Amino acid sequence: MNKILCTCGHENPKGTVLCGSCGRPLTEEASNQKLVDMRYEGSARRSQTFNKSIIDKVWNFFSSVKVGVSLIVIILVAAAIGTILPQVFYVPATGEAEIAAYYERVYGTFGKLYYQLGLSDLYGSWWFQTLIGMLGISLIVASLDRVIPLYKSLKKQRTRRHESFMKRQRIFGIGENALGENTFAKSEEKLKSLGYNVKREDGAVLGEKARFSRWGPYINHLGLIIFLFGVMLRALPGFYVDETMWLREGETRAIPETPGYYLKSDEFILETYDKEKADEVFNDAIERVGTIASNYQTDVVLYKKPEDALPGQTDKLEEVKKDSIQVNEPLKFEGFAVYQMDFRLDELRSMQFNLSNKATGESLGDVSVDLVEPEMSYDLGNGNKVELLGYYPDFTGFENGEPQTQSPIPNNPAFLVKMTTPETPKGETSFVAIKQTVEPFGENKYKLEFNNVETRDVSGLTIRKDKTLWVLALGGLIFMIGVAQGSYWNHRRIWIHETKDGHIAVAAHTNKNWLSVKKDLDQVTLVANLPPYIDQHDLEALEEKKDGEKSS
Amino acid sequence: MTLVSVSGNLLFIAFVCYLAATLFFGGAVKSSTKEIATSEKRWGRIGIIITIIGFISNLGYFVTRWIAAGHAPVSNLFEFTTAFGMMIVGSFILIYFLYKTPLLGLFALPIAVIIIGFASMFPTDINPLIPALKSYWLYVHVITAALGESILAMSAVAGLIYLTKNIDLTKKSKQRFWLEAVMLTLVLVLGFVASTTTFKVMDYEASFNYIDKEEKADEITYNVPPIFGMNEYEALTPGTMTPLVETPPIVNAKKLTTVTWSLIFGLVLYVLIRLIIRKPIAALLQPLAKKANSQLMDEIGYRAVLIGFPVFTLGALIFAMIWAQEAWSRFWGWDPKEVWALITWLFYAAFLHLRLSKGWQGEKSAWLAVIGFIIIMFNLIAVNLIIAGLHSYA
Ligand code: HEM
């Protein structure tokens, strides 16, 4: 690689704008500027130096802040578009046709178009994820492109800089040396007391403070990259579990995706604020809104199947712990968390029937049918028997004489039963539901009559395992450290040196917060009698100064 | 007196203090150039003292309400917006001590006053917490997020001053138009306050039956005269106005009516102001802003974003994710409120990059700061009221 040799003797890599050592401008353009561009200390960046091969071009594309900001803005706009209508996962419909119909029915033509353009699942779309991916690449490339050259030039900066460098600093002043050699001693002392690191050479002082803040952006970008990496990890098997289960009171079920864990629900509890019992200050709100829920809770027992149990064997479960799952208080075990997400109140649990002789009204006994796991036959003694021929948990009516059920959930249970008594040894068939009896094969002698139901609540639980959380947390932490470092500290430098003709030149630079560096410089100026400086950016202050000089 | 009414009175005292302090900051800015140093200092000092008294009273409101409710008062729209107004004042005090510019108060305090006034239009009852909100992460997340937003808002204040000073109002231009549009927006918020208060004082109430978008029958009560009627409405309160237009089921005609009344009141107010002052509102403020140093305003605008951005990230994204993981089993769910927090964050990231790498300083930066504040307010108000999601308070 060819190098650029500066007049001061320092060898700079190709592409350098300001000499890494003395700060002299090395390019025509830089020497023509009134103020130097200090952004990366004028160091040579790959993206600014090479543009030949396809790799260079891709590198330069992703390294550009223009591209980076464009990506940010495009993602921002896309994200906003996704909030115009609810996304598919918030819509009460399942299956493509039903979802499409929902958007059209509720939101009209606009809704239909929104759905057809795929905006209803925008965040899961390939193009949105590609944009995020490109943002990640851009973060990596842009950071690498800058951090290494910046590190090199900040590490080996010289105390004395060339006058052409000083003159082109935003804060610059030149004037008489009132104190002679003492200027430097006093400056050094004051800078040190202000917390600056001071380097001193013959007739030159460099005070530098909080250089580490320059690494802030790179650290925060690293945090973001780690975060995005963590998000990608969830696609790998075993890193991420997201299951749901419905658990009825009294029921014990295997927890999906967990190694041999079972959960039993003792009780589901729904509590609301009661005007009588709740704190008086809430009365107005309760009155205005009506019922306000105060607690959703499932009392559970967590069991584990012993190691040596046979597959499917569930009679020797070992209790692990009792817990109450509430919103905001998930049950946690072995990296899993079980959340209280939903509930159904008063699901039918069992139905009671009474078998009786129609003519005499004589009762032959009661039958209780469990609606989740009904038995097939019920013996009432004395030769009386009821058998289930068919079970329709969510009965909706007959179609071609066949009873229909729309779901396996016992919302409206119905049965086809056969009743056998010593008097009717061949059995009689009847169709029974709540408050409904149909006798499909003609008049029966006996009837099975609906008596009563028993209900129970069902808890909707979500089971999560997310092994990526610590990666995300790490990314977040690193981001916060980096962003605080770059925002709450600023890299300040103050150069003071004697020029060839015996004047004193001062210059100062900070990457942000110019007010503070000026305050620092003011204090040094006061102690060491430095020449006054001007802020070459603050045009209004300069104007005022000019006006002042004219009028005085 | 109950704790709740003590709390309400403290808020009122704070409100009055902020109004008074605005006048003093106005005095500080108005003093003539010659005696600027001493006079500005004196008026400015009185201004900041009154602001601090108001702020302490405001904190008193917050603490007493917290004690009365047993939970941090950030759980409904009134409480959250009020807390945001309070934090704007807090952030102003912070920036005041960093940069000692009374002019900032002249713009920041009226904005805080408008926000607190706006907040008081919503039901001010103390709600008991629903299960999802019962978590100390609620306080941590909401308070930090609002604090970050209020610091970011300071950059908009500085930006507004920069723009008011530097935009040439004598010539027709896009800039002049948009600056006046920002002023108009503030007046429209006042219109909302004025219309809501008017009808509240009149105790207006009109109930309707209607059919919602799920084709279910429901009932709704308007507190303003119904310009728009709900889908297939049927009036229940005799002697009230008949809606002029019936809307399709997906439109919430009640909210639309509220917005329309705010627009009517706001526009009338704006026209009145224009008739009285005989020039754009921005032109009225311009002489005050002229004293500002543009470079300093630009610097304050940037510094406010630098201070606010990390706080916002921590509160609105990181704490939010931790809480969402505990409460909803996922740290991120693309809920509209979450998405708008992300949008706000991306926007300020773009702001920082444009400034650092593309040299977007001065006017461009000032416009961005104002737009950033608009996004924050959009998330606070529109997303809560219009785009219903899990976070929806209303
Ligand atoms: C959401 C994504 C991003 C966030 C939150 C973010 C955040 C930040 C922050 C806070 C800074 C410091 C700014 C300042 O101190 O004023 C910064 C600087 C920077 N960012 Fe990003 N950034 C993001 C994406 C990107 C992308 C995609 C690029 C790619 C081009 C990029 C390139 C840079 C560069 C070049 C700097 C300046 C570094 C320096 O001057 O030392 N950033 N970023």
Side-chain angles (χ1 to χ4, degrees), chain B residues 281-323:
Chain B
I281 296 181
L284 180 72
L285 297 174
Q286 193 164 48
L288 297 171
K290 276 287 180 217
K291 298 264 166 56
N293 177 321
S294 304
Q295 182 72 38
L296 184 64
M297 285 304 139
D298 187 52
E299 177 99 18
I300 293 176
Y302 183 30
R303 191 84 190 284
V305 176
L306 281 174
I307 300 175
F309 186 71
V311 179
F312 179 80
T313 311
L314 191 66
L317 294 172
I318 296 188
F319 289 159
M321 288 191 207
I322 296 175
W323 182 26

Side-chain angles (χ1 to χ4, degrees), chain A residues 488-506:
Chain A
Y488 298 148
W489 283 270
N490 352 98
H491 181 214
R492 301 175 194 174
R493 274 174 293 176
I494 295 177
W495 295 274
I496 304 168
H497 75 215
E498 197 169 30
T499 60
K500 278 192 217 94
D501 50 4
H503 283 105
I504 290 279
V506 294

Side-chain angles (χ1 to χ4, degrees), chain A residues 30 46 112 140 184 201 233 349 361 416 429 497 541:
Chain A
R46 190 186 196 287
K112 188 177 169 188
I140 297 173
F184 300 104
E201 256 175 34
L233 269 188
R349 173 183 197 159
L416 193 63
T429 309
H497 75 215

Side-chain angles (χ1 to χ4, degrees), chain B residues 150-277:
Chain B
S150 69
I151 302 172
L152 291 171
M154 282 308 112
S155 92
V157 172
L160 208 55
I161 297 174
Y162 185 100
L163 294 173
T164 310
K165 171 175 176 179
N166 288 301
I167 288 175
D168 183 356
L169 295 174
T170 57
K171 281 203 295 278
K172 219 176 160 166
S173 67
K174 260 197 296 209
Q175 284 92 329
R176 188 179 80 167
F177 173 81
W178 286 111
L179 183 61
E180 192 60 13
V182 170
M183 301 296 168
L184 173 63
T185 312
L186 292 176
V187 176
L188 292 183
V189 177
L190 287 180
F192 169 73
V193 174
S195 66
T196 312
T197 313
T198 307
F199 295 121
K200 205 184 258 177
V201 170
M202 289 166 52
D203 242 338
Y204 195 95
E205 234 183 60
S207 299
F208 295 90
N209 279 333
Y210 71 101
I211 308 291
D212 73 6
K213 64 178 199 272
E214 303 292 343
E215 287 161 21
K216 285 198 206 69
D218 208 343
E219 197 186 313
I220 195 164
T221 303
Y222 287 52
N223 299 102
V224 293
I227 298 175
F228 297 96
M230 302 291 288
N231 181 44
E232 298 181 29
Y233 68 84
E234 209 179 286
L236 296 175
T237 322
T240 52
M241 172 179 157
T242 312
L244 303 177
V245 186
E246 180 181 326
T247 57
I250 64 160
V251 177
N252 184 331
K254 179 183 168 185
K255 286 178 183 172
L256 188 62
T257 303
T258 306
V259 170
T260 311
W261 277 115
S262 310
L263 284 176
I264 295 173
F265 273 68
L267 285 172
V268 169
L269 203 59
Y270 182 75
V271 170
L272 282 177
I273 296 174
R274 289 291 298 260
L275 284 176
I276 294 168
I277 66 175

Side-chain angles (χ1 to χ4, degrees), chain B residues 311-357:
Chain B
V311 179
F312 179 80
T313 311
L314 191 66
L317 294 172
I318 296 188
F319 289 159
M321 288 191 207
I322 296 175
W323 182 26
Q325 183 72 30
E326 285 294 302
W328 294 319
S329 85
R330 82 291 183 288
F331 62 91
W332 191 260
W334 297 108
D335 172 74
K337 191 95 187 169
E338 288 171 356
V339 176
W340 276 93
L342 178 70
I343 290 171
T344 312
W345 184 72
L346 288 172
F347 180 83
Y348 281 101
F351 174 105
L352 288 170
H353 288 94
L354 286 169
R355 179 152 186 127
L356 205 64
S357 303

Side-chain angles (χ1 to χ4, degrees), chain A residues 319-335:
Chain A
E319 180 174 325
V320 181
K321 62 174 160 186
K322 279 197 160 72
D323 200 356
S324 296
I325 308 178
Q326 290 176 319
V327 179
N328 274 309
E329 309 260 343
L331 161 73
K332 292 186 177 167
F333 60 92
E334 225 188 272

